[in-house]
Amino acid sequence: MKQKRFLLSEAEIPQQWYNIQVDLPHPLQPMLNPQTREPLSVDDLAHIFPRECCVQELDHEHRWIDIPEEVLDKYRSYRATPLVRAYDLEAALGTPAHIYFKNESVNPLGSHKINSALPQCFYAKQEGTTNVTTETGAGQWGAALSYAASVFGLSAAVYQVKISMQQKPYRSSIMRTFGAAVTGSPSMSTRAGKDIITRDPMHSGSLGTAISEAVELATTTPNCKYTLGSVLSHVSLHQTIIGLEAEKQMAMAGEEPDMVIACFGGGSNFGGVAFPFMRHVLKDGKKIEFIAAEPEACPKLTKGRFEYDFGDEAGYTPLLPMFTLGHQFKPSNIHAGGLRYHGAGMIVSQLLKEGLMHGVDIPQRETFEAALIFARTEGIIPAPESSHAIAATIREALKCKETGEEKVILFNLSGHGLIDMTAYEQYLNGDI
Ligand SMILES: *Cc1c(COP(=O)(O)O)cnc(C)c1O
């Protein structure tokens, strides 16, 4: 009998995250204060983010970071997630490749984002914060943060891009169900929002406007911290739970991946699944190919430039050394809202520069074709973001079919698409 799902018991869930910063061939270039161009310290960042997250952000000394017991306790309500061998997908493609996926869609929030929302809210609570705030585009991060805030007894205020609030009404209902206050951005509740609306009363909002409002709220409200769902190094640190589990599960399957693939917005689910495997490349000279799949409409890895750039459209954040399309780049309104970010996280940018991974960019139509093949074989409707990883996996599996190579491919299924059915409807109606 062929084993399909590889499961870990609660006791086998990793108890530490892996900090790849310790093993990088060259240290990261620092984040800079845009006015002084001085490197930022923990104290500088701790005005905005929970202090422990800032410590982790700049930590290049501790390879393993203990997961707090309170966070592990919450992880245990949905982890470990299954590793699945996609036999039916392999058969449909007629490929000799062995395809495995790590299923991060099987928690009630529906994506990997909860893995970092929980520790960020825990650390905020531990240091006496009462309120957290953030921005969200499509709403996956906002939903995860709203739930995590309610778990740790914090009040959450989420600025959601006004246009996506109208396009995806259920996500704001999800956030409000968890007790969050959701405001469409730009709004009249902040100075930044008022300025934007005064200049352009019809502004439909962007991640840039929402970040500006959330940061302003955090810095002007006592006991309020700002949280971010991707891009920063501490976020991908928290996500390494994915790859650390997958490593144990691949060992149960008796295989090691030749390729690790994930979709790419700011890099957190990619880093989460890839970094634990990459440590064997960096330390033990193993050969593994790492592929980050981004949309053709927002190709910072394949067409961006490595330079210092702002994290937001308005230019309020520190300067980050990263592959970027420019902080004022406006991607077209593709359905994979979580991949419409102009820059790449600092660690991933460095790895790309050093040739330890590469990006592929994929047209939207191909991602929906891949999603349908996956849905019809494996029975899971993937998030439009995750479909980019599936499309890249299918490309590689079809190459194996031509060459006859029996490669082992592992991809991360970052989330399900059950709240994105309008996007599927448009594709099925021939409107994409
Ligand atoms: C947010 C999101 C992404 C993209 O973010 P990363 O930080 O690059 O992982 C991918 N998939 C899903 C389902 C998301 O919600």
Side-chain angles (χ1 to χ4, degrees), residues 110-113 140-141 229-231 263-270 338-339 383 385-386 414-416:
S111 87
H112 69 286
K113 295 250 166 51
Q140 289 276 28
W141 169 246
S230 182
V231 183
C263 67
F264 196 95
S268 78
N269 95 94
F270 173 82
L339 308 186
E385 290 85 2
S386 317
S414 54
H416 70 66

Side-chain angles (χ1 to χ4, degrees), residues 29 304-308 321-324 346 349-350 353:
Q29 288 172 236
R305 283 170 30 158
F306 184 84
E307 59 191 19
Y308 271 101
M322 60 183 183
F323 275 89
T324 173
M346 292 185 288
S349 293
Q350 169 103 359
K353 203 161 59 125

